[in-house]
Amino acid sequence: MTIVMTLLVRDEEDILRENLAFHLDRGVDHVILMDNASVDGTAEIAHDFARSGVLTYLHQPEDDYAQGRWVTAMARRAFDEFGAAWVINNDADEFWWPRHGSLRDALATIPPDALAASAERTNFVARTPETGRFWQRMDVRCRVSLNPLGRPLPGKVAHRGAADIEVAQGNHAATRPGQAPSVAPAPILILHFPVRTRAQLVNKIAKGGAAYARNTDLDPGIGSTWRILYDTLRRDGLDAVYEGDLYDAARIGAGLRDGSLIRDERLKQALAALPVART
């Protein structure tokens, strides 16, 4: 079973190296990465992995966040060029944690008639202070995860490799022409680190929100979270949003006591055991 992961990234130098190292260690065979006009160290990190032969680097200069079209092209390439049995369309802030064994073991449990495998996501909370690597300080997650608008956090899907696969904007669904969607739950939990620092959040929303605004092909209802946060950024800034996501020691202690938060050090321990912890 060949597993290929696609990654669409923009300015993710604070988390990309860890994401790649983790998934390659957990069973991903190859990564197809599309760099959407990053201006930080993202490209350099990707090229480090490309030199090892485990990553294909693509540069995407367009700035309209046509995620569905771009990811669909990468997913089809995963099948055509690498013979992917399964494709994981991932974001840099998501770590697909197999509940037992490897990702290969987890995906092997999916019934053969299912096109896709669904995985729930769980949010890890931003911590003070912001110094140090994200995975060393962010070891507490929400028992019930919500998006920035207070709505239930949707899961993601991996899908079987196919030359005619269509991946929806957001990586929440995958379809094939003429085939009824069939999705089975996977024994995988996606560890999600959406807000890591104030600067990272502002940069993400400023660039991503502007890109959504430039895309005239998408229905205005698609990407509503990005669009609303972008409007908030332009109108009031994101301080209130960031402060709502930020946890100090007292707030974490209270959350652990009342059960709204869960300490989860699995990723911390996994990354500490990899060479990435020493780079």
Side-chain angles (χ1 to χ4, degrees):
M1 178 194 296
T2 300
I3 301 175
V4 175
M5 184 174 77
T6 73
L7 269 175
L8 175 60
V9 297
R10 185 168 192 173
D11 294 345
E12 301 284 8
E13 67 178 2
D14 72 309
I15 197 169
L16 179 58
R17 190 179 301 276
E18 288 87 348
N19 187 294
L20 293 170
F22 171 82
H23 288 101
L24 290 165
D25 181 68
R26 283 299 190 277
V28 168
D29 297 292
H30 195 82
V31 178
I32 300 175
L33 180 144
M34 182 177 287
D35 178 6
N36 184 206
S38 294
V39 297
D40 63 356
T42 290
E44 289 77 7
I45 294 170
H47 286 309
D48 284 346
F49 285 85
R51 281 188 286 271
S52 299
V54 297
L55 183 144
T56 298
Y57 177 86
L58 308 173
H59 178 64
Q60 177 54 260
E62 296 179 23
D63 198 7
D64 61 354
Y65 204 61
Q67 183 187 31
R69 174 163 55 87
W70 298 342
V71 174
T72 291
M74 287 193 288
R76 292 179 177 183
R77 186 168 180 172
F79 177 76
D80 292 339
E81 294 190 17
F82 300 98
W86 281 96
V87 181
I88 296 173
N89 299 306
N90 199 21
D91 293 332
D93 59 7
E94 296 171 347
F95 293 75
W96 291 58
W97 187 278
R99 296 185 186 274
H100 303 287
S102 67
L103 288 167
R104 187 170 287 104
D105 296 326
L107 293 172
T109 68
I110 303 303
D113 60 343
L115 171 66
S118 62
E120 295 181 356
R121 289 188 292 168
T122 183
N123 283 338
F124 282 69
V125 301
R127 298 282 299 270
T128 56
E130 290 186 348
T131 56
R133 298 184 181 185
F134 79 95
W135 54 271
Q136 293 173 324
R137 67 178 187 276
M138 295 177 68
D139 59 0
V140 173
R141 61 183 176 91
C142 299
R143 184 174 296 277
V144 177
S145 292
L146 306 174
N147 73 7
L149 305 182
R151 302 167 184 166
L153 186 70
K156 294 290 186 74
V157 299
H159 60 79
R160 296 189 190 276
D164 57 355
I165 199 74
E166 291 279 351
V167 182
Q169 187 89 0
N171 302 338
H172 301 295
T175 57
R176 294 183 67 190
Q179 180 175 335
S182 177
V183 182
I188 296 171
L189 180 65
I190 301 174
L191 312 182
H192 189 212
F193 298 81
V195 179
R196 302 179 296 280
T197 66
R198 185 188 304 268
Q200 169 260 326
L201 174 64
V202 171
N203 183 68
K204 175 180 178 180
I205 299 304
K207 293 183 176 179
Y212 259 116
R214 280 188 289 270
N215 192 320
T216 58
D217 294 329
L218 289 176
D219 185 287
I222 295 176
S224 59
T225 300
W226 286 85
R227 297 177 194 275
I228 291 172
L229 289 178
Y230 182 55
D231 288 342
T232 301
L233 171 65
R234 292 189 297 172
R235 184 179 63 251
D236 303 317
L238 290 178
D239 285 349
V241 175
Y242 179 70
E243 295 298 331
D245 285 327
L246 193 62
Y247 284 68
D248 59 15
R251 188 178 180 189
I252 287 174
L256 292 173
R257 288 190 296 273
D258 67 24
S260 60
L261 297 178
I262 301 170
R263 189 170 300 280
D264 188 336
E265 298 185 343
R266 288 177 292 180
L267 187 66
K268 177 190 289 189
Q269 294 168 356
L271 291 177
L274 296 177
V276 68
R278 300 186 289 276
T279 58

Coordinates of all heavy atoms in Angstrom, one line a residue, residues 148-209:
P148 N -13.1 29.0 14.8 CA -13.0 30.3 15.4 C -14.4 31.0 15.5 O -14.5 32.0 16.2 CB -12.1 31.1 14.4 CG -11.2 30.0 13.8 CD -12.1 28.8 13.7
L149 N -15.4 30.5 14.8 CA -16.7 31.1 14.8 C -17.6 30.4 15.8 O -18.8 30.7 15.9 CB -17.4 31.1 13.5 CG -16.6 31.8 12.3 CD1 -17.3 31.7 11.0 CD2 -16.2 33.2 12.7
G150 N -17.0 29.5 16.6 CA -17.8 28.8 17.6 C -18.6 27.6 17.1 O -19.5 27.1 17.8
R151 N -18.4 27.2 15.9 CA -19.1 26.1 15.3 C -18.3 24.8 15.5 O -17.1 24.8 15.6 CB -19.4 26.3 13.8 CG -20.2 27.6 13.6 CD -20.2 28.0 12.1 NE -20.8 29.3 11.9 CZ -20.7 30.0 10.8 NH1 -19.9 29.6 9.8 NH2 -21.4 31.2 10.6
P152 N -19.0 23.6 15.4 CA -18.2 22.4 15.6 C -17.1 22.2 14.5 O -17.4 22.6 13.3 CB -19.3 21.3 15.4 CG -20.6 22.0 15.8 CD -20.4 23.4 15.4
L153 N -16.0 21.8 14.9 CA -14.8 21.7 14.0 C -15.1 20.5 13.1 O -15.2 19.3 13.5 CB -13.6 21.5 14.8 CG -12.3 21.5 14.0 CD1 -12.0 22.9 13.4 CD2 -11.1 21.0 14.8
P154 N -15.1 20.7 11.8 CA -15.4 19.6 10.8 C -14.1 18.7 10.7 O -13.0 19.2 10.9 CB -15.7 20.2 9.5 CG -15.0 21.6 9.6 CD -15.0 22.0 11.0
G155 N -14.3 17.4 10.4 CA -13.2 16.5 10.2 C -12.7 16.7 8.8 O -13.1 17.5 8.0
K156 N -11.7 15.8 8.4 CA -11.1 15.7 7.1 C -11.3 14.3 6.6 O -11.6 13.4 7.3 CB -9.7 16.1 7.2 CG -9.4 17.6 7.5 CD -9.9 18.5 6.5 CE -9.5 20.0 6.7 NZ -8.1 20.3 6.6
V157 N -11.0 14.1 5.3 CA -11.0 12.8 4.7 C -9.7 12.5 4.0 O -9.1 13.4 3.4 CB -12.2 12.6 3.7 CG1 -13.5 12.7 4.5 CG2 -12.1 13.5 2.5
A158 N -9.2 11.3 4.0 CA -8.3 10.7 3.1 C -9.1 9.9 2.0 O -10.2 9.5 2.3 CB -7.3 9.8 3.8
H159 N -8.5 9.7 0.9 CA -9.3 9.0 -0.2 C -8.4 8.0 -0.9 O -7.1 8.1 -0.9 CB -9.9 9.9 -1.1 CG -8.9 10.8 -1.9 ND1 -8.2 10.4 -2.9 CD2 -8.6 12.1 -1.7 CE1 -7.4 11.4 -3.4 NE2 -7.6 12.4 -2.6
R160 N -9.0 7.0 -1.5 CA -8.3 6.1 -2.3 C -7.7 6.8 -3.6 O -8.4 7.8 -4.1 CB -9.2 4.9 -2.8 CG -9.6 4.1 -1.6 CD -10.3 2.8 -2.0 NE -11.0 2.2 -0.9 CZ -10.3 1.3 -0.1 NH1 -9.0 1.1 -0.3 NH2 -11.0 0.8 0.9
G161 N -6.6 6.4 -4.1 CA -6.0 7.0 -5.3 C -6.9 6.7 -6.5 O -7.4 5.6 -6.7
A162 N -7.0 7.8 -7.3 CA -7.8 7.6 -8.5 C -7.4 8.8 -9.5 O -7.1 9.9 -9.1 CB -9.3 7.7 -8.3
A163 N -7.4 8.5 -10.8 CA -7.1 9.4 -11.8 C -8.1 10.5 -12.0 O -7.8 11.6 -12.5 CB -6.8 8.8 -13.1
D164 N -9.3 10.3 -11.5 CA -10.4 11.2 -11.7 C -11.0 11.8 -10.4 O -12.1 12.2 -10.3 CB -11.5 10.6 -12.6 CG -12.1 9.3 -12.0 OD1 -11.6 8.9 -10.9 OD2 -13.1 8.8 -12.5
I165 N -10.2 11.7 -9.3 CA -10.7 12.1 -8.0 C -10.9 13.7 -8.1 O -10.2 14.4 -8.8 CB -9.6 11.8 -6.9 CG1 -10.3 11.8 -5.6 CG2 -8.4 12.7 -7.0 CD1 -11.2 10.7 -5.3
E166 N -11.9 14.1 -7.3 CA -12.2 15.5 -7.1 C -12.2 15.8 -5.6 O -12.9 15.2 -4.9 CB -13.6 15.9 -7.7 CG -13.7 15.8 -9.2 CD -13.2 17.0 -9.9 OE1 -12.8 18.0 -9.2 OE2 -13.0 17.0 -11.1
V167 N -11.3 16.7 -5.2 CA -11.2 17.1 -3.8 C -11.9 18.4 -3.6 O -11.6 19.4 -4.3 CB -9.7 17.2 -3.4 CG1 -9.6 17.5 -1.9 CG2 -9.0 15.8 -3.7
A168 N -12.8 18.5 -2.6 CA -13.5 19.7 -2.4 C -12.6 20.7 -1.6 O -11.7 20.4 -0.9 CB -14.7 19.4 -1.5
Q169 N -13.0 22.0 -1.8 CA -12.3 23.1 -1.1 C -12.4 22.8 0.4 O -13.4 22.5 1.0 CB -13.0 24.4 -1.4 CG -12.3 25.6 -0.9 CD -11.3 26.2 -1.8 OE1 -11.1 25.7 -2.9 NE2 -10.6 27.3 -1.4
G170 N -11.2 22.8 1.0 CA -11.1 22.6 2.5 C -10.7 21.1 2.8 O -10.5 20.8 4.0
N171 N -10.6 20.3 1.8 CA -10.2 18.9 2.0 C -11.2 18.1 2.9 O -10.8 17.1 3.5 CB -8.8 18.8 2.6 CG -7.8 19.4 1.7 OD1 -8.0 19.6 0.6 ND2 -6.7 19.8 2.4
H172 N -12.5 18.5 2.9 CA -13.4 17.8 3.7 C -14.2 16.7 3.0 O -14.9 16.0 3.6 CB -14.5 18.8 4.3 CG -13.8 19.9 5.1 ND1 -13.2 19.7 6.3 CD2 -13.7 21.3 4.9 CE1 -12.7 20.8 6.8 NE2 -13.0 21.8 6.0
A173 N -14.0 16.6 1.7 CA -14.8 15.6 0.9 C -14.0 15.3 -0.3 O -13.2 16.2 -0.8 CB -16.2 16.1 0.6
A174 N -14.2 14.1 -0.9 CA -13.6 13.7 -2.1 C -14.6 12.8 -2.9 O -15.3 12.0 -2.3 CB -12.3 12.9 -1.9
T175 N -14.7 13.0 -4.2 CA -15.7 12.3 -5.0 C -15.1 11.9 -6.3 O -14.0 12.4 -6.7 CB -16.9 13.2 -5.3 OG1 -16.5 14.4 -6.0 CG2 -17.7 13.6 -4.0
R176 N -15.8 10.9 -7.0 CA -15.4 10.5 -8.3 C -16.7 10.6 -9.2 O -17.8 10.3 -8.7 CB -14.9 9.1 -8.4 CG -13.5 8.9 -7.6 CD -13.0 7.5 -7.8 NE -12.7 7.2 -9.2 CZ -12.4 6.0 -9.6 NH1 -12.5 4.9 -8.8 NH2 -12.1 5.7 -10.9
P177 N -16.5 11.0 -10.4 CA -17.7 11.1 -11.3 C -18.4 9.8 -11.4 O -17.8 8.7 -11.6 CB -17.1 11.5 -12.7 CG -15.8 12.2 -12.3 CD -15.3 11.5 -11.1
G178 N -19.7 9.8 -11.2 CA -20.5 8.6 -11.4 C -20.5 7.6 -10.2 O -21.1 6.6 -10.3
Q179 N -19.8 8.0 -9.2 CA -19.7 7.1 -8.0 C -20.3 7.8 -6.8 O -19.9 8.9 -6.5 CB -18.2 6.7 -7.7 CG -18.1 5.8 -6.5 CD -16.6 5.3 -6.3 OE1 -15.8 5.3 -7.3 NE2 -16.3 5.0 -5.1
A180 N -21.2 7.1 -6.2 CA -21.8 7.6 -5.0 C -20.8 7.8 -3.9 O -20.0 6.9 -3.7 CB -22.9 6.7 -4.5
P181 N -20.7 8.9 -3.2 CA -19.8 9.1 -2.1 C -19.9 8.0 -1.0 O -21.0 7.7 -0.6 CB -20.1 10.5 -1.5 CG -20.8 11.1 -2.6 CD -21.6 10.1 -3.3
S182 N -18.8 7.4 -0.7 CA -18.8 6.4 0.4 C -17.7 6.6 1.3 O -16.5 6.5 0.9 CB -18.7 5.0 -0.3 OG -18.7 4.0 0.7
V183 N -18.0 6.9 2.6 CA -17.0 7.3 3.5 C -17.1 6.4 4.8 O -18.2 6.2 5.3 CB -17.1 8.8 3.9 CG1 -16.0 9.2 4.9 CG2 -17.1 9.7 2.7
A184 N -16.0 5.9 5.2 CA -15.9 5.1 6.4 C -15.0 5.8 7.5 O -14.0 6.4 7.1 CB -15.4 3.7 6.1
P185 N -15.4 5.7 8.7 CA -14.5 6.3 9.8 C -13.2 5.5 9.9 O -13.2 4.3 9.9 CB -15.4 6.2 11.0 CG -16.3 5.0 10.8 CD -16.6 5.1 9.3
A186 N -12.1 6.3 10.0 CA -10.8 5.7 10.2 C -10.4 5.8 11.6 O -10.7 6.7 12.3 CB -9.8 6.4 9.3
P187 N -9.6 4.8 12.1 CA -9.0 4.9 13.5 C -7.8 5.9 13.5 O -6.7 5.5 13.8 CB -8.6 3.5 13.7 CG -8.3 2.9 12.4 CD -9.2 3.6 11.4
I188 N -8.1 7.1 13.2 CA -7.1 8.2 13.1 C -7.7 9.4 13.8 O -8.9 9.8 13.5 CB -6.8 8.5 11.6 CG1 -6.1 7.3 11.0 CG2 -5.9 9.8 11.6 CD1 -5.9 7.5 9.5
L189 N -6.9 10.1 14.6 CA -7.3 11.4 15.1 C -6.4 12.5 14.6 O -5.1 12.3 14.7 CB -7.3 11.4 16.7 CG -7.7 12.7 17.4 CD1 -9.2 13.0 17.1 CD2 -7.5 12.5 18.9
I190 N -6.9 13.6 14.1 CA -6.0 14.6 13.5 C -5.8 15.6 14.7 O -6.7 16.3 15.2 CB -6.7 15.3 12.3 CG1 -7.0 14.3 11.2 CG2 -5.8 16.4 11.8 CD1 -7.7 14.9 10.1
L191 N -4.5 15.7 15.0 CA -4.1 16.7 16.1 C -3.8 18.0 15.4 O -3.0 18.1 14.5 CB -2.8 16.2 16.7 CG -2.8 14.7 17.2 CD1 -1.5 14.4 17.9 CD2 -4.0 14.4 18.1
H192 N -4.6 19.0 15.7 CA -4.7 20.3 15.0 C -4.1 21.4 15.8 O -4.5 21.6 17.0 CB -6.2 20.5 14.7 CG -6.4 21.7 13.7 ND1 -7.6 22.5 13.8 CD2 -5.7 22.1 12.7 CE1 -7.5 23.3 12.8 NE2 -6.4 23.2 12.2
F193 N -3.2 22.2 15.2 CA -2.5 23.3 15.9 C -2.7 24.6 15.1 O -1.8 25.2 14.5 CB -1.0 23.0 16.0 CG -0.7 21.8 16.8 CD1 -0.8 20.5 16.3 CD2 -0.4 21.9 18.2 CE1 -0.6 19.4 17.1 CE2 -0.1 20.8 19.0 CZ -0.2 19.5 18.4
P194 N -4.0 25.1 15.0 CA -4.3 26.2 14.1 C -3.7 27.6 14.5 O -3.5 28.4 13.7 CB -5.8 26.2 14.1 CG -6.2 25.7 15.5 CD -5.2 24.6 15.8
V195 N -3.6 27.8 15.8 CA -3.1 29.1 16.3 C -1.9 28.8 17.2 O -2.0 28.2 18.3 CB -4.2 29.8 17.1 CG1 -3.7 31.2 17.7 CG2 -5.5 30.1 16.3
R196 N -0.8 29.3 16.7 CA 0.5 29.0 17.5 C 1.1 30.3 18.0 O 1.6 30.3 19.1 CB 1.5 28.3 16.5 CG 0.8 27.0 16.0 CD 1.7 26.3 15.1 NE 2.0 26.9 13.8 CZ 1.2 27.0 12.8 NH1 0.0 26.4 12.8 NH2 1.6 27.6 11.7
T197 N 1.0 31.4 17.3 CA 1.5 32.7 17.8 C 0.6 33.8 17.2 O -0.1 33.6 16.2 CB 2.9 33.0 17.4 OG1 3.0 33.1 15.9 CG2 3.9 31.9 17.8
R198 N 0.6 34.9 17.8 CA -0.2 36.1 17.3 C 0.3 36.4 15.8 O -0.6 36.6 15.0 CB 0.0 37.3 18.2 CG -0.8 38.5 17.8 CD -0.4 39.7 18.6 NE -0.5 39.4 20.1 CZ -1.5 39.7 20.8 NH1 -2.6 40.2 20.3 NH2 -1.5 39.4 22.1
A199 N 1.6 36.5 15.6 CA 2.1 36.8 14.3 C 1.6 35.8 13.2 O 1.3 36.2 12.1 CB 3.6 37.0 14.3
Q200 N 1.7 34.5 13.6 CA 1.3 33.5 12.6 C -0.2 33.6 12.3 O -0.6 33.5 11.1 CB 1.6 32.1 13.3 CG 1.0 30.9 12.5 CD -0.3 30.4 13.2 OE1 -0.4 30.4 14.4 NE2 -1.2 29.9 12.4
L201 N -1.0 33.9 13.3 CA -2.5 34.0 13.0 C -2.8 35.2 12.1 O -3.5 35.0 11.2 CB -3.2 34.1 14.4 CG -4.7 34.4 14.2 CD1 -5.5 33.2 13.6 CD2 -5.3 34.7 15.6
V202 N -2.2 36.3 12.4 CA -2.5 37.5 11.6 C -2.0 37.3 10.2 O -2.7 37.7 9.2 CB -1.8 38.8 12.3 CG1 -1.9 40.0 11.3 CG2 -2.4 39.1 13.6
N203 N -0.8 36.8 10.0 CA -0.3 36.5 8.7 C -1.2 35.6 7.9 O -1.5 35.8 6.7 CB 1.1 36.0 8.8 CG 1.8 35.8 7.4 OD1 2.1 36.8 6.7 ND2 2.0 34.5 7.0
K204 N -1.6 34.5 8.5 CA -2.5 33.5 7.9 C -3.8 34.1 7.4 O -4.2 33.9 6.3 CB -2.8 32.4 8.9 CG -3.7 31.3 8.4 CD -3.9 30.3 9.5 CE -4.9 29.2 9.1 NZ -5.1 28.2 10.1
I205 N -4.4 34.9 8.3 CA -5.7 35.5 7.9 C -5.6 36.6 6.9 O -6.4 36.7 6.0 CB -6.5 35.9 9.2 CG1 -6.8 34.7 10.1 CG2 -7.8 36.6 8.8 CD1 -7.5 33.6 9.4
A206 N -4.5 37.4 7.1 CA -4.3 38.5 6.2 C -4.1 38.0 4.7 O -4.8 38.6 3.8 CB -3.2 39.4 6.6
K207 N -3.3 37.0 4.5 CA -3.0 36.5 3.2 C -4.1 35.6 2.7 O -4.5 35.7 1.5 CB -1.6 35.9 3.2 CG -0.5 36.8 3.4 CD 0.9 36.1 3.3 CE 2.0 37.1 3.5 NZ 3.3 36.5 3.4
G208 N -4.5 34.7 3.5 CA -5.6 33.8 3.1 C -6.9 34.4 2.9 O -7.6 34.1 1.9
G209 N -7.3 35.4 3.7 CA -8.5 36.1 3.5 C -8.5 36.9 2.3 O -9.5 37.0 1.6

